[in-house]
Amino acid sequence: MYRKIIKELENFKNESKSLPIMIIGARQIGKTYVIEEFARNEYENYIKINFEEQPEFKSVFEENLVSKDIISRIELLLGKEINIENTLIFFDEIQVCPKAVTSLKYFSESKENYKIVCAGSLLGVALKREKVSFPVGKVKTINMYQLDFEEFLIAIGQEKLISEIRKCYNNKVQMLEPIHNRLIKFYTDYLYVGGMPDAVLNYINSEFSIIRVDKTIAKNIINNYIADMSKYVDGSTETIKLINIYQSLPKQLNRENIKFKYKIISEFANKRDYDLPITWLTSSGIVLKSNNLDSINVPLSAGEDINNFKMYMADTGLLTAMAGSEYLDLVEGADNTFKGSVVENYVAVQFISMGFDLLYYKPNKSIEIDFLIRLGRKNYSYRSKSRER
């Protein structure tokens, strides 16, 4: 599947001296697939070390962190020589080996032009737990998410629809109704299927038939995320809090006012007890957090009120699976609050995939702007019409 992030990797390859690249994102969004496809297509050789599957490689970083020494120790474990001139080195699941993260600073400062790409799931969580600092300024970090709607259309062979959208938008002309209806059908399918690569592949293999789509794929991803919570959190109490927050999101979103409410988690829940679990979830990349603005300033973040926020699922397909939603709940003309929730969640996913921070503005009880972003010197706002009842 084509992913936009491949352009960043191509730029990385073409730089005469490049910083190591770190691709950060939730599990099962396609990080490993993209990097391996890039490595196979662009390099004579590549070496992949997965610290979860090959824990013995963690010992490579236990002595000194001199770059050439690390490479020598990797060569000894692999039993072969590494030609750094034509070899991409790929550290996968790097959060499992925090010292490997630290070593990136020394790789970047080396006179040798090492080509190193890393992928991390739950990286922020792991580094905080291990009390390891990130080598800021020595690594280029890229946040990756599931397929956005454009990538979804490309994956299903509908690139021409993207061109048509842009043409109509730029020329301010109405799209022909049959084309518009076709596009709305794929948009609704995307709301239901989501952008997780395995779910999209199943949709393609189902010949775009929603009836044949296997929603257990999304449910399995949700279960895997929940399993990670117990793996990366100390103590059953904190694990239960994380799970309760995550599983409360469909109910949080299925309201007219979707400001996050602790009482929806449990009668006795409060900010003090749930602040750290919320930070864990946002650091993991499996939920998205949008802060309220108490005022509109330049920059917008200057007006953030971190005590009032919304939380979204990182993927609409996972949201519909967790909620047990049916496809008919989302089709054109469906009149229910949950459709508005999914549409708003969709917009959040698209904005975060484009690199925008999620912010909303609610100056009083009767007015709310769901999303506010800044482009150049102008502020742009979005309000979901699907919530107007």
Side-chain angles (χ1 to χ4, degrees), residues 291-309:
N291 288 332
N292 183 37
L293 294 172
D294 55 23
S295 61
I296 298 179
N297 296 293
V298 178
L300 287 173
S301 58
E304 281 187 80
D305 173 12
I306 60 173
N307 294 316
N308 291 294
F309 57 90

Side-chain angles (χ1 to χ4, degrees), residues 298-352:
V298 178
L300 287 173
S301 58
E304 281 187 80
D305 173 12
I306 60 173
N307 294 316
N308 291 294
F309 57 90
K310 302 177 183 180
M311 289 179 71
Y312 300 99
M313 298 277 283
D315 181 75
T316 58
L318 299 186
L319 173 59
T320 56
M322 187 182 287
S325 173
E326 299 294 336
Y327 182 76
L328 291 177
D329 298 333
L330 308 174
V331 298
E332 191 81 358
D335 184 21
N336 60 77
T337 305
F338 187 69
K339 179 185 176 183
S341 305
V342 178
V343 170
E344 186 169 332
N345 204 117
Y346 161 83
V347 177
V349 169
Q350 303 311 302
F351 275 144
I352 203 78

